[in-house]
Amino acid sequence: MLIVLQVASTYAQGIDYPRHEYPRPQFERELWMNLNGKWTYKFDFNKEGLSKNYASAKGFDKEITVPFAPESKLSGVEYKDFIPAMWYHRKIKPEASWRGQDVLLNFGAVDYYCQVFINGQLVGKHWGGSTSFSMDISNFVTLGEEADLVVYVEDDTRSKLQATGKQCHDKDSRGCFYSRTTGIWQTVWMEPVYRHALNKVQIIPDLDNKQFVFRPTYRNLQAGTKLRIRVREDKRIVGEGTFAASDAGFCVIPLRFPKTWSPENPFLYEVYFDLFDADGKQIDNVFSYAGMRKVHIEGNRVFLNNELYYQRLVLDQGFYPDGGWTAPSDDELKADIQRGKLAGFNGARMHQKVFEQRYLHWAARLGYLVWGESANWGMDNSNEAAVRNFLSEWTSIVERDINEPAIVAWTPFNETWRPKNLEIQSRMQDDVYDLTKALDPTRPVVTASGGIHAEKEDVYAEHTYKQDPMELYNQLSKSERGVYIKHEESADYAGQPYMVDEFGGIRWLHNQQNEGVAKSATSWGYGTPPQTKEEFYKRLEDQVNVILSLDNIWGFCYTQLTDVEQEQNGLFSYDRESKFDLEKLNKIFSKSREEAKKEVEKMLKDNSNALGK
């Protein structure tokens, strides 16, 4: 496997900058330069910096630690009020040894709109707070010489024209809305790339035909270029081929005895892409990985690798007490997945946030199913400008993460409630479904997780926070054609797999005295809090039993993995301390459906006897 070199490798030797690991593990090049660490910055509350030529600045008065947003503690700023615009600056110096190659400047994510300048010249612009992007800065820098990099950011959280997710539109956090994220919040880096190098490669696992299908595209196609693809299993080449470089071509590598990827056996193949010019000179070398994994739907059931598979997911908001939207370390991304697995889940619904690529890397390595979601809350679904913004951002989200084996569903929208214009929203939902299936026909699309459902969706997903198990049973068991919850404006249920992808949310204050504080002015959650931990376990198990016992439900997602600020209904506290006995949780969430049915039958019998009395 290729490893990070140059500046990034110095972190272990004591260089003080965070998030030193390679940020794009699905498409990893050997030579790169990490630009995280100390930058200077200036807030621009009146948006006057462009007219004052801040773009030509040689530095600003205050320091910020990138890639942490200014609202976060780890940024060193911790400014919590609205930031309509701000400026960043740092010196960059592309290596002289990169001669003969172009220089790409890469951003993991910048929220929301940004302009990038080098030595006062505009390099490019980008819209979208959750998506990664690159800019070719070759014509703006001289190798071996310093240059001034300036990034201008605008983030109008309250405009209703952009997706903001769980970022609060009020000054202070409240309920299930949390601190905002402004500006750079993922790693920034440079890399040298030949003009005719690979642009990207889509990897399509084809389990039924025992092959991987690769679809490469190139930065600038050159006649005579050859692409060699090698697939390796346990240090042994099991598939190899050399292909003429073509933007119209597909490269097929058959496997005699393919090994599948699943949460129970998360096997990954190593994949090497080597590009050679017409003279046989190597002009690109990229490392990747791939999982031989198939997810599909038959009737109202979901299959993984052609076998029925029940999804036991947990809601993960991806907020951190010191980093906000940005994990403080790569280890913490990995640890959140390990926490979910220890609690008995086989995956997570990444909720109202597009997670860092390294989270998906660890999900693939550890065996953890993931639903890829957007941060759609905050936008006005009736506003055609907002819809236009969302369509381009969602396209980039799917294209960035399409190769990740852990992603088993796309979820563009969460809880699409009745807007000012239902027709615009319904059209948008159907258009996004068609767009997603055009980009990736290999995964189901959960067009709307809860809320108003449009005509086109592969999985019908609904939310319920009924706390009493009998009320929950009565709500979910009384159905027409297998649909339990249906909003008046929703399209009719069409027999898809039905999932309860939000439930529970049982509030429990961590380290509370006398176990079971009934109410707290600073906490938020669903239902009346249990008075004791035993009451918590009983309520949780009864709810899980009900869902597992119903044949027409084919998966669940529990709310939620961790507390987030004032929302205190996580299985772990905000600082990731376990609030409960993980063995007990694991036993509840991994329970067999047969066992759950027996316990629900007993519950119904006991309830009937109680009513009779």
Side-chain angles (χ1 to χ4, degrees), residues 549-561:
S549 72
L550 296 170
D551 290 334
N552 285 335
I553 296 179
W554 204 250
F556 64 70
C557 179
Y558 181 79
T559 303
Q560 63 183 328
L561 183 66

Side-chain angles (χ1 to χ4, degrees), residues 16-18 35-41 62-68 73-77 88-91:
D16 183 22
Y17 64 88
L35 299 180
N36 291 343
K38 297 297 182 184
W39 295 45
T40 61
Y41 79 97
K62 297 179 181 179
E63 281 193 342
I64 186 170
T65 300
V66 169
F68 302 106
K73 181 178 180 180
L74 288 175
S75 71
V77 179
Y88 293 83
H89 172 275
R90 70 157 288 160
K91 298 283 188 181

